[in-house]
Amino acid sequence: MTRIGRSDLDVLPLNLGGNTFGWTSDRDTSFAVLDAFISAGGNFIDTSDSYMASIPGNSGGESETILGQWLTARGGRDDVVLATKVSRHPDFLGLAPDNIAKAAEASLQRLHTDHIDLYYAHYDDPDVPLEDTLGAFDSLVRTGKVRYLGISNYSPERISEWLAICEANGFAKPVALQPHYSLVAREPFESTLRPQAENFDLGVMPYWALASGFLTGKYRTQADVDGAARKRIVDGYFSPEGLAVVDELAVIAAAHDVEIATVALAWTRQQSTVVAPIASARIPGQLDALMASIDLELSDAELRRLDTVSAAVVTN
Ligand SMILES: NC(=O)c1ccc[n+]([C@@H]2O[C@H](COP(=O)([O-])OP(=O)(O)OC[C@H]3O[C@@H](n4cnc5c(N)ncnc54)[C@H](OP(=O)(O)O)[C@@H]3O)[C@@H](O)[C@H]2O)c1
């Protein structure tokens, strides 16, 4: 187990992503993925109130609803660390105080729980004074509806501002940072956000750690992506430099007799400030490769080889 920042949240270092629930995984398949994750020892689940509002026929909150149904069916709420996010649900856009209070209530109802372990601001809201937003978050912590706070998709400058406001007002400080970070997207995390995680003792949970499937090695030509649910995002990773990363991952994976995805996640987990990479599994069969990353220790030489080949990737 690894601890998130200054919290008392102990997690197995693979954070299961919840954006498949109600999208590429129906309710029964989502339950099967969650059951397999818990059986394999996992305890840390990431979702958002907005997952997956962008899918035709959905209205937002589908992922939380499935998670809540699963928690009710299976029990064991206290055995899992539940992270969700606010600011992008179509009915609760932004981070005005009243909106945060209502969005949190709606998330608690969908999740069938009385508390959220880790509550992220999903995206910055420049139209609301940050002091007002942080006052609302602080109230949620003081009333016990939220245990800890996290930050996702904020600039380094706004993270500094966030911490200064907490200091000045005695507000609950954030313990976690959720940035986009992987072997094919190392910047801007490494240059500008990791220093902030170090400065403010934020545990980092990188999202798109598998580059939406590109770092599993299953897409070798652009034609492989045709028809894939994640095509729009995966398309952006196709370049000779990106494919060279996959080739190097394949060599290291063969040496360890593991999957390419396992090596990609192990590299991410072994980066400084990272607590747990986030990755989702559409079906239970995809989970083994994800969970195996927890026990894979890449050597310094292997980490350097991956550092070198991935340094050539130009981040979009
Ligand atoms: N904070 C934010 O703004 C933000 C943004 C995005 C995501 N997130 C979080 O991060 C999580 C992870 O992101 P993501 O799910 O979009 O992308 P990801 O974890 O990089 O990619 C996961 C996808 O790769 C494929 N995959 C996984 N394991 C595989 C295996 N062993 N073999 C073959 N394919 C495999 C599956 O998709 P297919 O089977 O469909 O190919 C799976 O859904 C999300 O669920 C969410 O919780 C946060």
Side-chain angles (χ1 to χ4, degrees), residues 17-20 24 46 51 85 122-123 152-153 178 207-213 216 218-219 230 278-282 286 289-290:
N19 72 4
T20 49
T24 52
D46 183 79
Y51 297 162
K85 316 186 190 79
H122 201 161
Y123 281 85
S152 188
N153 301 309
Q178 188 173 137
Y207 71 79
W208 285 341
L210 287 177
S212 298
T216 67
K218 67 181 176 181
Y219 305 122
R230 291 160 194 273
I278 313 175
S280 69
R282 177 176 48 83
Q286 292 179 342
L290 277 47

